[in-house]
Amino acid sequence: MGASFPAARPRRLRRTAALRRLVAEVSVRPANLVMPMFVKEGITEPQPIASMPGVVQHTRDSLRKAAIDGVEAGVGGLILFGIPAVKDGRGSAADDPAGIVQLALRDVGAEIGDATVIMADLCLDEYTDHGHCGVLTAVGEVDNDATLERYADIAVAQAAAGAHVVAPSGMMDGQVAAIRAALDQAGYTDVAILAYSAKYASALYGPFRDAAECAPRFGNRAAYQQDPPNADEALREVLLDIDEGADAVMVKPALTYLDVVRRVADTVHVPLAAYQVSGEYAMVEAAAANGWLDRDRMIIETLTAIRRAGADMVLTYWAAEAARHLA
Ligand code: PBG
């Protein structure tokens, strides 16, 4: 062995920030980020969410301002979640033209137009008094097909209020087909569907249920959301949704399902979203508040990991802040 020095030196390309930037395989751009926002009916001041420091339930007015802020930061999109003042068994407020999310969609549309993409989460759990994502049968199970009729009406109401994209998150079988048919029939052929195709029954949604006031009153969502051990099943869900007319698909949560993100990205060629959910946000915020993790580095590292796994867009509560930082 004559050579006493290694010939291959990967470190050569890591020496300066400029070299590292030149050879970076992925990047996180502001346009990749979608900001989830909560708007609550009947409040006069934004309400903080204890388990999501920095995130609030907006008033209609504060939502408008936050939407402008997101546009100025350059985020790729916004996704709205409504919290009605009154809930009932069928989630009547979800498709009421005067319901909170429809009003908020109109407000935001009037304010920002097409400056960023305006999406609406399409589900019933924020609107039902029992907190499930669909209507119930007499024995208290979520009734798939009766729920599809509700989703169809909600889609049309959200489209009428100006949503560019509707995003069904309830994991009912056939939801994309039902929504596509309803939108087309009502003349909204240009409204796109971002399907929460592979949404897992995850403990990481805990803080969201405080934010959206939608913890199920009984039982859980395991009978409709996906079981954490299954990844092949996620591919089946994604393929079904594309077949039914989904324009883009989503994996959710992100961090604990990065393998699923990668497999979906390798398998299908429609835009792929991943949702960095409330619990992912809360874990980092809590550790950072204790001085245990470097918050800013964690935000960039987790977003980079999700992009590296193959997501085109990332739904994240840090969207506006991260977009500013990355601009
Ligand atoms: C259901 C919905 C949930 C989230 C987004 N849409 C909650 C659930 O399924 O319990 C969770 C988002 C998050 O945790 O950040 N409408």
Side-chain angles (χ1 to χ4, degrees):
M1 288 278 277
S4 51
F5 301 110
R9 288 185 180 267
R11 284 185 54 183
R12 284 184 192 119
L13 298 180
R14 298 179 192 141
R15 208 156 53 84
T16 68
L19 279 164
R20 293 191 292 274
R21 185 181 61 200
L22 182 69
V23 300
E25 296 174 34
V26 296
S27 61
V28 185
R29 304 307 315 151
N32 304 133
L33 305 178
V34 176
M35 179 159 64
M37 306 173 90
F38 303 104
V39 56
K40 183 169 173 172
E41 186 176 11
I43 55 171
T44 53
E45 290 295 323
Q47 306 289 313
I49 300 158
S51 52
M52 300 179 74
V55 179
V56 300
Q57 295 174 326
H58 282 289
T59 66
R60 285 175 63 184
D61 208 42
S62 71
L63 180 81
R64 260 198 302 264
K65 294 189 182 111
I68 296 171
D69 185 62
V71 169
E72 286 170 359
V75 300
L78 314 172
I79 182 163
L80 303 191
F81 295 85
I83 305 139
V86 179
K87 306 189 184 206
D88 61 18
R90 60 190 292 281
S92 301
D95 58 323
D96 181 346
I100 184 64
V101 117
Q102 276 67 252
L103 296 176
L105 285 166
R106 288 199 171 85
D107 290 342
V108 169
E111 198 70 55
I112 66 168
D114 295 336
T116 194
V117 178
I118 303 171
M119 308 187 188
D121 182 79
L122 197 171
C123 197
L124 275 169
D125 60 327
E126 298 98 329
Y127 300 93
T128 53
D129 52 11
H130 46 73
H132 277 287
C133 297
V135 294
L136 304 180
T137 64
V139 295
E141 286 178 356
V142 174
D143 185 333
N144 192 88
D145 296 6
T147 300
L148 296 184
E149 292 177 26
R150 298 290 298 124
Y151 286 1
D153 290 345
I154 300 168
V156 172
Q158 292 177 339
H164 298 117
V165 177
V166 297
S169 63
M171 290 299 280
M172 295 302 125
D173 292 333
Q175 63 184 13
V176 173
I179 290 166
R180 185 71 270 157
L183 288 172
D184 291 350
Q185 207 179 344
Y188 298 110
T189 50
D190 290 337
V191 171
I193 299 175
L194 165 60
Y196 286 70
S197 302
K199 177 175 177 182
Y200 286 87
S202 173
L204 288 166
Y205 307 147
F208 174 93
R209 292 176 187 179
D210 295 339
E213 301 173 13
C214 65
R217 291 280 165 82
F218 62 89
N220 55 47
R221 307 201 207 287
Y224 41 103
Q225 297 181 345
Q226 269 196 244
D227 203 22
N230 299 353
D232 284 345
E233 186 187 346
L235 296 178
R236 291 198 291 277
E237 286 277 11
V238 163
L239 292 172
L240 279 169
D241 282 355
I242 292 173
D243 226 42
E244 290 179 25
D247 300 286
V249 297
M250 195 193 305
V251 173
K252 176 185 171 185
L255 193 60
T256 43
Y257 299 91
L258 290 178
D259 59 322
V260 177
V261 173
R262 168 45 57 198
R263 288 184 62 185
V264 173
D266 286 343
T267 305
V268 299
H269 302 285
V270 298
L272 172 59
Y275 198 143
Q276 182 174 58
V277 300
S278 57
E280 299 178 60
Y281 178 90
M283 287 196 293
V284 171
E285 292 288 344
N290 276 298
W292 295 341
L293 288 173
D294 180 327
R295 180 177 176 279
D296 292 356
R297 290 186 59 200
M298 280 303 297
I299 294 172
I300 299 304
E301 185 172 339
T302 54
L303 292 172
T304 301
I306 297 164
R307 291 273 297 144
R308 194 189 61 240
D312 300 300
M313 51 188 131
V314 186
L315 283 71
T316 174
Y317 299 96
W318 289 306
E321 179 186 343
R324 284 215 155 78
H325 178 86
L326 294 163

